[in-house]
């Protein structure tokens, strides 16, 4: 999709001037010397600095200077994009701001304000490259899990009992603990919370007690209960959504509103599905109608979800379609008397579990906890986005149907997992 978007920017620019595709850096320099109007896939090099950069476009200005530009599906210019474009400016050395053609349709300039971050980036990279040993790094479950070196680094972290393996401990508070002699998970597990000094991002008895227990859970595989779990009564309908963020209008399209009705078996899975983002409003209206239907059948309805994502999307959709005052919406979002209940909150507030993260899958798949397994072990939230985009692009009816069924099965298992989690919590 990024490549397709880049081509759309190419087409847009081609309407304004001739575009020439560059090859090696020498060819790019030749095209610039000849005054090519727009250079596509140019290669910039500074041999003395050992820099090389690959801007999507180099656009010639009336005064002869070239302006770097990149096509970005992103919705805003974040720090990484600013550094990248600032780096191209540093290679060009002409003072021209760089351009980011964003997925929203906006064109944003990046100028001198990016220079300090570019300088820091260059300094840090050179420092790393000069080292003979790998640099000291911390573990991060979300970042490390997707890194190709995960299987190289993770065993070393485990052997060293790196503090940041523990949920809730990250670089900023790990460094504080180490200053006071708590350098391993074992040391943290054996620490007296009352004796642990206040350090940045780990202050107060409750946070320190949780950190100690979380370290113990990592060591022993045991679960700890901090306090009694109180859950609301009523008729529970479990609720989970799937959204596609890769839309032309750069707004998340919730294409699947999944629900599990009383009976709580596979046959009780209910849903609203939309085949395309053009049917976005139809899916939203269908969800509200389904909620109203459930409310009539079960006046004490509770819509139970895991994490705040579902509430956030309902809020966004209400704003998107100017329905903040709609009676069903105001009831859904009523903090005091509304039906939405986030099951993650009592789990995190009341339990310390032997998991690296408090997402639904780590808890529900854990053999000593809920022990629920998904039909497709590879499925997940990012997987579902890829499946849906493939669904949108597939022309074969049979293949399209199989993709839809795979997504529905994943969403159904997510919801059944929340039901199993509910039962497990009540069994405690």
């Amino acid at each position: 999709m990024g490549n397709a978007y880049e081509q759309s920017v190419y087409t847009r620019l081609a309407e304004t001037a001739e575009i020439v595709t560059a090859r090696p850096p020498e060819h790019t320099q030749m095209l610039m010397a000849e005054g090519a109007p727009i250079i596509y896939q140019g290669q910039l090099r500074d041999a003395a600095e050992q820099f090389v950069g690959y801007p999507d476009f180099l656009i010639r200005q009336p005064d002869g200077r070239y302006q770097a530009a990149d096509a970005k599906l992103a919705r805003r210019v974040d720090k990484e994009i600013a550094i990248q474009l600032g780096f191209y400016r540093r290679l060009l050395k002409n003072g021209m701001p760089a351009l980011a053609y964003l997925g929203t349709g906006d064109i944003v300039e990046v100028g001198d304000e990016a220079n300090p971050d570019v300088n820091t980036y260059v300094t840090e990279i050179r420092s790393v490259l000069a080292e003979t040993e790998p640099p000291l790094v911390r573990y991060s479950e979300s970042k490390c899990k997707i890194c190709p070196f995960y299987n190289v680094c993770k065993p070393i972290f485990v052997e060293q009992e790196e503090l940041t393996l523990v949920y809730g401990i990250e670089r900023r508070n790990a460094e504080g603990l180490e200053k006071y002699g708590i350098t391993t998970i074992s040391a943290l597990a054996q620490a007296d919370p009352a004796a642990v000094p206040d350090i940045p991002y780990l202050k107060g008895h409750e946070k320190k007690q949780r950190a100690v227990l979380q370290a113990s859970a990592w060591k022993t595989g045991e679960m700890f209960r901090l306090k009694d779990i109180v859950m609301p009564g009523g008729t529970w309908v479990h609720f989970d959504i799937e959204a596609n963020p890769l839309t032309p209008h750069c707004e998340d399209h919730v294409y699947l509103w999944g629900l599990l009705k009383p009976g709580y078996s596979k046959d009780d899975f209910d849903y609203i599905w939309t085949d395309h983002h053009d049917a976005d409003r139809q899916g939203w209206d269908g969800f509200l109608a389904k909620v109203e239907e459930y409310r009539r059948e079960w006046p004490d309805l509770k819509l139970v979800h895991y994490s705040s994502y579902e509430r956030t999307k309902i809020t966004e959709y209400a704003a998107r379609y100017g329905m903040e005052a709609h009676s069903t919406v105001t009831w859904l979002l009523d903090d005091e008397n509304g039906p939405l209940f986030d099951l993650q909150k009592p789990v995190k507030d009341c339990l310390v579990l032997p998991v690296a993260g408090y997402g639904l899958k780590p808890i529900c798949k854990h053999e000593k906890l809920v022990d629920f397994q998904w039909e497709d072990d590879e499925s997940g939230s990012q997987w579902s986005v890829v499946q849906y985009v493939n669904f949108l692009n597939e022309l074969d009816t049979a293949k399209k149907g199989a993709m839809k069924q795979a997504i529905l099965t994943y969403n159904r298992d997510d919801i059944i997992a929340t039901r199993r989690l509910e039962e497990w919590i009540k069994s405690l």
Side-chain angles (χ1 to χ4, degrees):
M1 293 187 73
N3 290 338
Y5 179 66
E6 183 179 302
Q7 287 303 306
S8 73
V9 174
Y10 180 101
T11 302
R12 194 192 325 177
L13 290 173
E15 294 173 354
T16 65
E18 179 189 3
I19 299 180
V20 182
T21 300
R23 290 188 290 276
E26 295 75 17
H27 186 228
T28 302
Q29 287 298 320
M30 184 186 76
L31 291 173
M32 293 172 72
E34 293 174 350
I38 302 176
I39 301 170
Y40 178 54
Q41 293 184 340
Q43 299 183 29
L44 303 174
R45 178 184 294 164
D46 184 328
E49 295 276 14
Q50 292 187 308
F51 292 158
V52 63
Y54 306 92
D56 293 336
F57 304 96
L58 290 168
I59 304 171
R60 191 176 189 273
Q61 301 304 305
D63 62 5
R65 291 183 295 172
Y66 277 89
Q67 185 173 35
D70 260 17
K72 299 290 186 186
L73 266 180
R75 304 177 189 186
R76 62 183 180 85
V77 173
D78 60 15
K79 188 174 181 179
E80 291 183 5
I81 292 175
I83 289 174
Q84 182 183 6
L85 293 174
F87 189 77
Y88 297 155
R89 294 183 70 238
R90 184 161 170 168
L91 278 161
L92 287 167
K93 302 177 183 177
N94 62 16
M96 287 292 298
L99 301 179
Y101 286 81
L102 299 180
T104 57
D106 297 325
I107 304 173
V108 178
E109 289 190 348
V110 174
D112 290 342
E113 72 282 356
N115 289 348
D117 286 334
V118 174
N119 293 337
T120 299
Y121 166 78
V122 170
T123 300
E124 289 181 351
I125 290 294
R126 281 184 166 153
S127 174
V128 169
L129 291 174
E131 295 177 9
T132 56
E133 297 291 331
L136 176 66
V137 292
R138 298 291 189 179
Y139 181 74
S140 165
E141 179 72 9
S142 59
K143 293 179 181 179
C144 290
K145 201 83 176 188
I146 60 173
C147 176
F149 291 96
Y150 179 79
N151 291 326
V152 175
C153 303
K154 180 69 181 289
I156 300 172
F157 283 127
V158 172
E159 182 182 358
Q160 295 173 345
E161 290 198 20
E162 160 64 33
L163 285 171
T164 51
L165 287 165
V166 176
Y167 175 79
I169 303 296
E170 37 89 27
R171 178 183 57 80
R172 296 176 298 182
N173 49 24
E175 290 173 355
L177 289 170
E178 287 169 345
K179 287 180 181 178
Y180 290 96
I182 301 174
T183 60
T184 65
I185 297 175
S186 293
L188 180 58
Q190 294 164 9
D192 177 1
V196 176
D198 278 350
I199 58 175
Y201 309 99
L202 193 63
K203 296 180 179 179
H205 177 74
E206 187 174 327
K207 284 188 176 180
K208 287 183 277 192
Q209 180 192 35
R210 184 172 193 108
V212 170
L213 291 176
Q214 198 71 60
S216 297
W218 188 93
K219 288 286 293 181
T220 66
E222 294 180 37
M223 176 191 74
F224 300 93
R225 192 180 336 194
L226 297 173
K227 52 188 174 183
D228 289 340
I229 301 173
V230 178
M231 297 195 293
T235 301
W236 284 32
V237 170
H238 291 273
F239 170 44
D240 183 61
I241 64 176
E242 306 298 336
N244 174 29
L246 306 175
T247 60
H249 45 68
C250 285
E251 289 182 320
D252 286 4
H253 164 49
V254 176
Y255 60 87
L256 174 56
W257 306 79
L259 303 138
L260 187 68
K261 302 181 293 184
Y264 307 115
S265 70
K266 291 181 180 181
D267 295 335
D268 297 302
F269 174 55
D270 202 0
Y271 63 89
I272 299 91
W273 170 279
T274 48
D275 280 339
H276 198 267
H277 57 78
D278 290 342
D280 187 67
R281 176 64 187 267
Q282 179 183 334
W284 166 243
D285 288 341
F287 167 68
L288 293 180
K290 184 67 69 175
V291 168
E292 290 161 3
E293 174 191 327
Y294 286 170
R295 191 180 182 187
R296 287 191 295 270
E297 185 169 356
W298 302 295
D300 59 349
L301 174 67
K302 282 291 177 187
L303 279 175
V304 182
H305 51 100
Y306 193 84
S307 87
S308 60
Y309 186 68
E310 279 67 27
R311 174 182 282 273
T312 299
K313 289 300 158 195
I314 290 172
T315 303
E316 287 180 6
Y317 266 75
R320 183 179 302 176
Y321 295 112
M323 297 175 66
E324 293 94 336
H326 188 282
S327 59
T328 301
V329 172
T330 57
W331 176 66
L332 281 168
L333 298 177
D334 184 341
D335 289 331
E336 296 295 325
N337 303 304
L340 293 177
F341 177 65
D342 181 359
L343 193 55
Q344 187 183 51
K345 193 173 188 311
V347 170
K348 294 183 75 172
D349 287 349
C350 303
L351 301 174
V352 176
L353 304 176
V355 291
Y358 281 70
L360 185 66
K361 273 198 168 182
I363 295 171
C364 289
K365 294 180 78 169
H366 198 292
E367 59 186 17
K368 292 184 178 179
L369 302 176
V370 181
D371 195 18
F372 173 82
Q373 308 306 321
W374 277 248
E375 278 194 21
D376 185 343
D377 193 50
E378 294 183 357
S379 62
S381 57
Q382 293 183 351
W383 169 93
S384 67
V385 172
V386 175
Q387 286 289 111
Y388 186 70
V389 171
N390 288 340
F391 167 86
L392 294 176
N393 295 326
E394 181 57 61
L395 299 178
D396 185 283
T397 304
K399 291 180 180 178
K400 203 175 182 77
M403 290 174 180
K404 177 179 177 179
Q405 188 54 53
I407 297 171
L408 289 173
T409 299
Y410 160 65
N411 181 261
R412 181 205 67 199
D413 282 357
D414 264 6
I415 303 176
I416 292 177
T418 64
R419 168 63 178 177
R420 297 289 183 268
L421 177 59
E422 172 205 348
E423 294 173 327
W424 177 76
I425 291 172
K426 289 180 176 177
S427 75
L428 301 178

